[in-house]
Protein backbone atom coordinates (compact mmCIF):
# COMPACT_ATOMS: atom_id res chain seq x y z
CA UNK A 1 0.00 0.00 0.00
CA UNK A 2 1.40 3.37 -1.04
CA UNK A 3 0.40 6.68 0.50
CA UNK A 4 0.95 10.30 -0.56
CA UNK A 5 1.73 13.00 2.00
CA UNK A 6 -0.67 15.93 1.47
CA UNK A 7 1.77 18.82 1.92
CA UNK A 8 5.18 17.53 0.85
CA UNK A 9 3.96 15.27 -1.95
CA UNK A 10 6.25 12.41 -0.96
CA UNK A 11 5.18 8.84 -1.57
CA UNK A 12 5.79 6.20 1.04
CA UNK A 13 5.15 2.48 1.14
CA UNK A 14 3.22 1.96 4.35
CA UNK A 15 2.44 -1.76 4.01
CA UNK A 16 4.45 -4.43 2.29
CA UNK A 17 3.30 -7.80 1.09
CA UNK A 18 3.96 -9.60 4.40
CA UNK A 19 2.64 -6.94 6.79
CA UNK A 20 0.52 -9.48 8.66
CA UNK A 21 3.60 -11.62 9.33
CA UNK A 22 5.52 -8.68 10.81
CA UNK A 23 2.51 -7.90 12.97
CA UNK A 24 2.24 -11.51 14.11
CA UNK A 25 5.95 -11.89 14.90
CA UNK A 26 6.66 -8.53 16.54
CA UNK A 27 3.21 -7.44 17.77
CA UNK A 28 3.34 -4.26 19.83
CA UNK A 29 6.85 -3.35 18.59
CA UNK A 30 5.52 -3.27 15.01
CA UNK A 31 2.77 -0.83 15.99
CA UNK A 32 5.19 1.38 17.94
CA UNK A 33 7.37 1.62 14.82
CA UNK A 34 4.29 2.76 12.85
CA UNK A 35 3.46 5.37 15.52
CA UNK A 36 0.21 3.68 16.49
CA UNK A 37 0.52 4.00 20.28
CA UNK A 38 -3.04 2.99 21.16
CA UNK A 39 -2.98 -0.18 19.09
CA UNK A 40 0.49 -0.99 20.45
CA UNK A 41 -0.87 -0.82 23.99
CA UNK A 42 -3.82 -3.04 23.09
CA UNK A 43 -1.45 -5.47 21.37
CA UNK A 44 0.83 -5.57 24.43
CA UNK A 45 -1.99 -6.08 26.94
CA UNK A 46 -3.87 -8.71 24.93
CA UNK A 47 -0.76 -10.56 23.75
CA UNK A 48 -1.12 -9.29 20.17
CA UNK A 49 -4.87 -9.56 20.04
CA UNK A 50 -4.72 -13.18 21.13
CA UNK A 51 -2.36 -13.83 18.18
CA UNK A 52 -5.11 -13.80 15.58
CA UNK A 53 -7.28 -10.71 15.65
CA UNK A 54 -4.74 -7.89 15.16
CA UNK A 55 -2.75 -9.52 12.32
CA UNK A 56 -6.02 -10.08 10.44
CA UNK A 57 -7.20 -6.49 11.04
CA UNK A 58 -3.74 -4.98 10.44
CA UNK A 59 -4.35 -3.65 6.91
CA UNK A 60 -7.46 -1.74 7.93
CA UNK A 61 -5.91 -0.42 11.14
CA UNK A 62 -2.82 0.95 9.41
CA UNK A 63 -4.84 2.40 6.53
CA UNK A 64 -7.21 4.19 8.92
CA UNK A 65 -4.27 5.52 10.98
CA UNK A 66 -2.59 7.09 7.95
CA UNK A 67 -5.86 8.48 6.58
CA UNK A 68 -6.58 10.13 9.94
CA UNK A 69 -3.13 11.75 9.79
CA UNK A 70 -4.04 13.27 6.41
CA UNK A 71 -2.23 10.90 4.06
CA UNK A 72 -3.91 10.00 0.77
CA UNK A 73 -3.91 6.28 -0.02
CA UNK A 74 -2.92 5.70 -3.64
CA UNK A 75 -2.92 1.93 -3.92
Amino acid sequence: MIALHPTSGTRQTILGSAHWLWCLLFGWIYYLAKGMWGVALISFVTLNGLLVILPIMNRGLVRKHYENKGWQILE
Side-chain angles (χ1 to χ4, degrees):
M1 183 180 301
I2 300 172
L4 177 70
H5 193 271
T7 55
S8 67
T10 58
R11 293 177 183 221
Q12 182 178 355
T13 302
I14 57 173
L15 284 178
S17 59
H19 63 88
W20 60 271
L21 180 62
W22 290 107
C23 176
L24 181 65
L25 293 177
F26 297 106
W28 61 274
I29 297 169
Y30 171 82
Y31 290 116
L32 282 179
K34 293 279 185 188
M36 300 171 66
W37 301 97
V39 179
L41 181 62
I42 292 169
S43 176
F44 181 75
V45 171
T46 64
L47 299 174
N48 200 21
L50 303 175
L51 295 176
V52 177
I53 297 167
L54 288 177
I56 291 172
M57 296 175 44
N58 185 48
R59 184 174 186 85
L61 290 171
V62 172
R63 180 183 183 114
K64 185 175 180 180
H65 171 72
Y66 276 90
E67 285 176 343
N68 287 342
K69 290 177 72 174
W71 289 72
Q72 179 184 4
I73 306 300
L74 299 177
E75 186 178 309

